Amino acid sequence: MKRSKRTSSSKSSKTRRLEVRSRAELKALQSLMATAVFRPLTPEEGMQPRWIDGRTTSELASTFIKPNDRLTAFDRLEIYNRVYWFRVLDCLYDDYPGLRAVLGERKFMKMITAYLAKYPSASFTLRNLGSRLEQFLRDEPRWIAPRPELALDMARFEWAQVIAFDDESKPAITPDDILDTRPDKLRLGLQPYLSLLQLNYEVDEFLVAVKKSESAVLRSEASNTFEAMPHSSGREKRPRLPKRKRIHLAVHRHDNDLYYKRLDPEGFVILTALRAGASVEEACLQGLSSTKRTGVDWNEEIKAYFNNWTALGWFCRFSKK
Amino acid sequence: MPANSFNNFTEYGIGIGLRVPHYRHILAEKPVVDWFEIISENFMVDGGRPLEVLDKIMEQYRVVQHGVAMYFGSADRLNREHLKKLKRLVKRTKTPWLSDHLCWGSVDGRYTHDLLPMPYTFAAAKATAANIREAQDFLEVPICVENVSSYAEFHASEMTEWEFLSEVVERADCGILLDVNNIYVSSQNHNFDPYAYLNNVPHDRVGQIHIAGHSKFEKYILDTHDHPVLDPVWKLYAHAVKLVGRTATLLEWDDSIPSFEEVHHEALKANQFIEKLENATA
């Protein structure tokens, strides 16, 4: 009886096996399998039992994957589904320790699962996996409630570090290169690896504390000594969340080491204006008009800014792109 | 003397994969290593530490590029931007040959970051070979395609995996990177004879061999690259060198990576099989 039910005509047309006799059919098979691979896992970390159209996923898998003597078609497809999710979740877990600490592990995992379900990887490299996270969090702030601003600050800060690590470095400009150009005509480019962030929380100090506490946990987990055992969970040492405070950060690299540097608000305005294409003169005027500080020798201050930024190699030739 | 027309680097010897945990040791101690294999995608960046390390390594060592994201078997056409970045790296490393996998992993610009298996059909072989030819023409460097480990087989398949590999490389006129660990893993997962695989691929196209460790689960074997090479894989390796002759060989160790010395020592075990073969033929 069971056998005849399975081979009834309506069922067999639905479960027709996929063939690959052309590039188009190859594409159809690959699209189907990719859809299955990208679907989020169940809470038990298995493949979802129900397919998009209401069929069982077992039935769907059987249309293109062969079973063997140990594994069903579902089991075999599930291996790829699990490997994909473990890989991408692991990657964001490592790239966002600060955001993880802000949200807590469980909430973080739920959030990145939702993110990756909406935005599967669109790059050949896992390095770019977080490239649309800020946009996702702005569009769907429910994932970062009740601290959306802090979480967004941290997400932006951690993505800036990915950029600073290996983005392009252009030949740095020296004072000699610009000696003869008038400030109202002079435009300076900023290095592509440099990010300028205006933030509402002191996430830089918080991240340092998070990393310190994580490495302490790692050290204690790697140790067999009795003294290390009481600290092995690391939970009791979780750093306090940062207080609200407006800061300006430059995230950059120097000699290929990653740094983040606090900027004065005026310096931040000048650099942001330069990046937007303002001349040096315009950028400085914007910086000065933004200031609330009094009793400052701005000639000396601005000279010091530019000396410092030049020494760090932040300036390059301006290009309209 | 080259073993075959796709293996002009017979004397390359035994290499290991260049991995982050070993950077400091390699740069400081400068150990004697025949060559390093780099994962191309890790260095297809625009600047920063990765390229600095690569340049320092290249001052001392021979480097060969191995890719994980070209996806020759994808039904989509190759990504030209990817190829351009890859070519920039090829020019930087002057890699004597370049390898990537006989697999697919992306659809419509979405990436699985996995090496997904092919349906073994003539249409798939034709599409794959066209992609390889395009890449070879654009990159202007010989390409070897690597057989992958797999956990699924397709109803659509019309031939064995080794027949598919042969069909593809003949159509594309390219080399083979024979991964004997992958052959073993797939043979266990799909119940075929790994020696039949080795015996039936075109030996005159094998330009490189991979060896690695794997993990056994209850119902299948996973290609984890986190162990030393297991005995059945060494036996397959011995058989492979008997068939293809001395060939550039590389140990992959990508997870739970031990010290540099341990990895290198494991890789150098391959020499005993090559020496045994050469003593026997002398």
Side-chain angles (χ1 to χ4, degrees):
Chain A
M1 284 295 281
K2 263 186 175 176
R3 194 180 177 85
S4 65
K5 263 188 183 174
R6 272 200 197 134
T7 53
S8 69
S9 61
S10 64
K11 202 88 171 178
S12 63
S13 66
K14 264 188 174 178
T15 56
R16 199 172 52 213
R17 289 176 176 177
L18 263 72
E19 299 200 53
V20 178
R21 292 159 304 189
S22 64
R23 197 182 262 262
E25 287 182 344
L26 178 63
K27 173 83 181 224
L29 182 141
Q30 293 180 347
S31 297
L32 184 65
M33 185 160 171
T35 304
V37 167
F38 288 134
R39 290 188 86 201
L41 300 174
T42 64
E44 294 75 34
E45 298 182 340
M47 188 159 69
Q48 292 187 39
R50 194 60 64 182
W51 187 243
I52 301 157
D53 60 5
R55 273 184 291 175
T56 63
T57 309
S58 286
E59 199 179 334
L60 179 276
S62 301
T63 63
F64 64 107
I65 291 180
K66 279 186 196 171
N68 69 4
D69 54 349
R70 289 155 286 163
L71 297 166
T72 64
F74 179 97
D75 296 334
R76 298 181 117 184
L77 185 55
E78 188 182 48
I79 293 171
Y80 289 103
N81 186 206
R82 285 163 58 94
V83 165
Y84 168 75
W85 278 96
F86 293 163
R87 180 175 288 128
V88 290
L89 291 174
D90 261 8
C91 175
L92 289 183
Y93 186 93
D94 289 343
D95 282 356
Y96 288 89
L99 188 53
R100 201 164 14 102
V102 168
L103 298 178
E105 301 254 334
R106 273 179 57 185
K107 211 166 171 183
F108 176 81
M109 295 308 284
K110 277 188 180 174
M111 182 276 291
I112 56 170
T113 303
Y115 165 63
L116 290 166
K118 186 167 180 180
Y119 294 115
S121 175
S123 165
F124 70 88
T125 165
L126 285 166
R127 177 258 195 210
N128 294 334
L129 206 52
S131 63
R132 290 179 289 183
L133 185 59
E134 181 188 345
Q135 190 55 51
F136 172 75
L137 297 179
R138 286 190 193 282
D139 293 344
E140 301 193 23
R142 68 180 191 276
W143 297 106
I144 45 176
R147 301 185 187 92
E149 270 189 303
L150 171 58
L152 255 176
D153 274 6
M154 187 54 90
R156 292 175 64 211
F157 178 44
E158 293 191 303
W159 175 247
Q161 291 173 56
V162 174
I163 306 257
F165 179 68
D166 60 11
D167 223 299
E168 187 184 1
S169 167
K170 294 188 169 174
I173 273 182
T174 63
D176 287 348
D177 295 331
I178 53 176
L179 212 55
D180 299 330
T181 317
R182 284 167 32 195
D184 61 328
K185 299 283 179 202
L186 179 61
R187 284 180 165 74
L188 296 172
L190 297 188
Q191 293 289 2
Y193 62 74
L194 169 69
S195 293
L196 303 169
L197 302 173
Q198 177 173 277
L199 303 166
N200 294 310
Y201 291 85
E202 292 181 295
V203 290
D204 51 348
E205 288 178 2
F206 179 65
L207 186 61
V208 170
V210 167
K211 287 188 172 171
K212 208 180 259 181
S213 96
E214 284 203 346
S215 62
V217 171
L218 276 176
R219 275 199 304 276
S220 66
E221 280 175 354
S223 167
N224 290 323
T225 59
F226 179 74
E227 290 79 2
M229 284 181 69
H231 304 292
S232 60
S233 78
R235 281 186 185 168
E236 60 279 18
K237 289 208 160 183
R238 199 170 131 177
R240 275 171 178 251
L241 291 175
K243 287 198 175 134
R244 196 177 175 82
K245 183 184 175 186
R246 171 63 57 93
I247 60 166
H248 299 88
L249 276 185
V251 185
H252 67 113
R253 66 172 184 256
H254 191 62
D255 288 340
N256 287 327
D257 283 328
L258 192 73
Y259 291 97
Y260 17 103
K261 177 179 169 61
R262 292 259 182 124
L263 298 170
D264 291 340
E266 298 84 1
F268 177 82
V269 171
I270 293 170
L271 286 168
T272 305
L274 288 173
R275 176 157 275 173
S279 68
V280 171
E281 186 178 89
E282 287 162 355
C284 291
L285 287 172
Q286 285 183 37
L288 290 179
S289 63
S290 72
T291 188
K292 289 171 185 150
R293 290 193 284 162
T294 53
V296 178
D297 180 347
W298 282 109
N299 278 339
E300 282 305 307
E301 194 76 356
I302 288 175
K303 201 173 148 195
Y305 287 161
F306 276 82
N307 281 341
N308 185 231
W309 299 336
T310 307
L312 290 169
W314 289 0
F315 295 128
C316 55
R317 289 209 177 277
F318 178 75
S319 103
K320 278 185 181 165
K321 266 201 264 178
Chain B
M1 175 165 173
N4 63 62
S5 57
F6 292 91
N7 184 354
N8 285 312
F9 305 94
T10 310
E11 302 303 327
Y12 248 55
I14 311 297
I16 60 171
L18 181 67
R19 301 293 180 262
V20 176
H22 297 155
Y23 283 178
R24 198 183 295 260
H25 176 87
I26 296 164
L27 294 174
E29 305 298 326
K30 300 184 174 52
V32 176
V33 181
D34 291 344
W35 56 288
F36 282 110
E37 186 182 78
I38 61 162
I39 302 294
S40 300
E41 286 75 8
N42 291 348
F43 299 93
M44 286 161 65
V45 293
D46 295 319
R49 180 75 74 203
L51 294 179
E52 181 194 355
V53 170
L54 178 60
D55 289 343
K56 282 185 183 163
I57 293 286
M58 287 191 310
E59 284 170 14
Q60 302 281 335
Y61 299 99
R62 299 185 292 197
V63 162
V64 177
Q65 281 182 228
H66 178 55
V68 292
M70 197 122 63
Y71 301 138
F72 293 132
S74 175
D76 295 333
R77 296 283 174 189
L78 293 181
N79 181 328
R80 296 300 279 194
E81 284 312 305
H82 185 94
L83 281 177
K84 282 179 194 166
K85 283 191 174 195
L86 189 54
K87 190 162 186 176
R88 276 204 292 276
L89 187 64
V90 164
K91 283 184 175 166
R92 191 179 197 114
T93 64
K94 299 181 180 64
T95 184
W97 73 93
L98 175 149
S99 59
D100 207 313
H101 300 82
L102 184 53
C103 73
W104 65 282
S106 67
V107 172
D108 295 328
R110 294 177 303 158
Y111 288 77
T112 66
H113 302 285
D114 204 349
L115 309 171
L116 299 175
M118 296 296 298
Y120 306 135
T121 74
F122 288 100
K126 195 176 160 191
T128 306
N131 284 343
I132 296 169
R133 275 187 179 274
E134 185 186 339
Q136 209 157 227
D137 286 350
F138 185 84
L139 297 169
E140 299 175 296
V141 65
I143 286 179
C144 289
V145 290
E146 177 184 352
N147 55 295
V148 298
S149 292
S150 64
Y151 316 103
E153 300 163 288
F154 296 101
H155 288 301
S157 289
E158 298 161 345
M159 60 187 102
T160 63
E161 185 185 336
W162 55 90
E163 286 166 343
F164 182 74
L165 173 63
S166 307
E167 182 74 18
V168 168
V169 297
E170 297 290 350
R171 279 174 178 270
D173 194 20
C174 68
I176 295 174
L177 194 179
L178 199 61
D179 189 316
V180 290
N181 178 59
N182 287 350
I183 292 174
Y184 180 77
V185 168
S186 295
S187 76
Q188 298 300 297
N189 289 339
H190 308 314
N191 300 323
F192 66 75
D193 175 7
Y195 290 89
Y197 193 128
L198 283 179
N199 292 337
N200 286 293
V201 291
H203 304 135
D204 58 346
R205 288 187 180 271
V206 176
Q208 186 188 334
I209 298 178
H210 267 176
I211 46 176
H214 56 255
S215 298
K216 283 186 182 179
F217 293 88
E218 195 189 333
K219 293 182 178 177
Y220 61 95
I221 296 184
L222 207 56
D223 180 28
T224 47
H225 296 185
D226 60 352
H227 282 82
V229 181
L230 294 169
D231 269 353
V233 176
W234 279 127
K235 283 181 184 147
L236 275 180
Y237 177 73
H239 190 67
V241 292
K242 238 184 253 174
L243 296 170
V244 303
R246 179 186 275 269
T247 302
T249 297
L250 180 119
L251 171 71
E252 294 180 296
W253 201 320
D254 298 316
D255 217 343
S256 307
I257 300 174
S259 69
F260 173 86
E261 287 89 352
E262 194 175 329
V263 173
H264 196 206
H265 178 257
E266 183 66 19
L268 292 177
K269 287 179 188 171
N271 273 327
Q272 60 188 281
F273 298 98
I274 294 171
E275 281 161 16
K276 205 180 278 181
L277 171 75
E278 288 180 349
N279 289 339
T281 50

